[in-house]
Amino acid sequence: MKRFLPQRLPDHLLIDTFAAFSRAKIWAEHFLPPNTLKTSKPPHFPRSPRHWFDPASLQFRLTVGVTTFSVLGLGGISSWTSWKMQEILVNTHTENITYLAERFPQDVQIYHESFPMQESLQFAIDKAPPNVLIWVETENSEIIAQSQAFENIEPALRERLFSLNEMPKEPEVYQVDRRYLVLCSDVLAVQNRTLGQVRMVQDITEDQLMLNRTMQGLRIITLLAIVLLAAIIAWYIKRSLRPLRRISQIASTISANDLSQAKMTLDKAPTEVKELAEKLNEMLSRLGLSWEQQRQLIGDISHELRTPLSVTYGSLQCIQRRGTSLNEMQQELLGTAISETDRTIQLLQSLLDLARADNSCTYVRSETLLLNDLVADVAKLTERGRNHCIKVEAEGDIWMTTDRNSLSQILTNLLDNAAKYSPPDQPIIVTLSQSEHDTLIEVRDYGCGIAPEQQERIFDRFYRVDNARSRATGGVGLGLAIVKTLVESMDGKISVWSQPEEGSSFKVTLPCQLHH
Ligand code: ADP
């Protein structure tokens, strides 16, 4: 036997092993970036807050923009109409008064050719329309002639009018004691003799109040129109954005597994959105094809590398067992080669498990099983392999219809981790319970625990909390990624609670019935 043993460690064997390991590692890092290969289940896309007052949303911006322009447009038209109506009203009356004011001295002069001044003034005043009040005031504020209509108006208003000192030369509308009056005053000169001031007043309160009421109505109608328009605009924009929302809904349901079959089919969408959907479909089928090729490659390479590496591992172990003539350095190198080869084989096995987990939707085989038995079997195997005490606590017999292989793999990984990351004298407790629809499996350990900031990331591919520690325990950072992928492929959920130095608890919730 001895003569077959090499005196020196065969260099080519070591080189082959390291080369194979490096190849596997490079390949894994290249083809399996931690964040690109995600689970086979559609990932959970957090819904963006889509409510009316999300100022960043297109719907909100379009609605506010279009409504603002409409409000400005309608408001502008309404204001312009009110202003124009007011102007027409005022112009009509002021033109009338202007005409009277211009004619008055001429009339007085004509009458004065036949009558005394006082009578001429009165005749000219009486000639004016009854709704225009006229009085003539001397420089001493003495009223020498006035309209007869003054007798019919309230004394207070009469006093108020007579007491007005400053009146405009050009007719203007004033509000005097809740009445709207067109006022004007001018010097009255007849035959080059200044008699005083002729003052004219026309009461337009009725017309002004009617105009005010019309404008009030116009304002209410404009307001109602704005509200109605805003509602119609909001509804129309929401409806127009529906195809885009549909695209994001479809996109959120597409998983890595159905990339190539995924299709964004939109009926009655605008041409631009249809074009976008077509381009997305083309992109999806390209991505699907390359994802499929990549997955195929992962499976093939893992498989191809595992066999020669297993042979290498066996050979190295054989050399170690029989290599009594190896010096210390050779022993050390051989030990390193064996442990690295073992790690690489584990990595390849995990990759194969992951590829299988990614495909678990396709290869699922559901059967009805007694969970207590399955857990007990897996616990026994782990106890044997890891030399740990595992206690199983269950609320009676728990039956469920599920995929046995996937569930075994989940339990194996969780129990393996619990054993790896807790001291051997601490127990691991598996608790099983069941509600009407769900089965709960909790794996609790009293080990080193996980820091809160790491807990989110431990389910990522190739993520290890502490590389040195995981290396020592033989982990490659894929165990929990496989568990998560499998749990989600079985429509379940996984959560973790952990406190550093107090231990960890992984809770898996699975439906009692697997629907595939
Ligand atoms: P590994 O193969 O390195 O164990 P896993 O994906 O199984 O990879 O776990 C990822 C990381 O989560 C590990 O590196 C480890 O630090 C941490 N972890 C997982 N399970 C436990 C546990 N029960 N207790 C403490 N840490 C854990």
Side-chain angles (χ1 to χ4, degrees), residues 346 350 413-414 416-422 443 445 447-450 454 457-460 462-467 469-471 473-483 498 503-506:
Q346 269 187 43
S350 297
N413 288 12
L414 289 179
D416 208 42
N417 274 352
K420 269 194 303 191
Y421 300 111
S422 62
V443 177
D445 68 59
C448 58
I450 308 158
Q454 313 270 9
R457 303 201 51 202
I458 53 172
F459 296 99
D460 288 352
F462 291 110
Y463 183 78
R464 283 170 291 191
V465 171
D466 175 353
N467 265 333
R469 186 179 78 185
S470 297
R471 195 169 259 271
T473 50
V476 292
L478 283 175
L480 288 179
I482 294 171
V483 169
S498 190
S504 315
S505 154
F506 285 85

Side-chain angles (χ1 to χ4, degrees), residues 104-122:
F104 192 77
Q106 295 167 22
D107 287 350
V108 174
Q109 191 160 344
I110 293 165
Y111 287 123
H112 189 46
E113 285 168 10
S114 326
F115 300 100
M117 180 56 78
Q118 182 67 37
E119 279 174 50
S120 310
L121 283 173
Q122 197 59 51

Side-chain angles (χ1 to χ4, degrees), residues 250 254-255 258-264 280-282 284-285:
I250 297 175
I254 296 172
S255 69
D258 44 41
L259 272 178
S260 47
Q261 286 95 46
K263 278 273 169 293
M264 308 238 174
L280 285 175
N281 282 340
E282 285 167 22
L284 282 174
S285 58

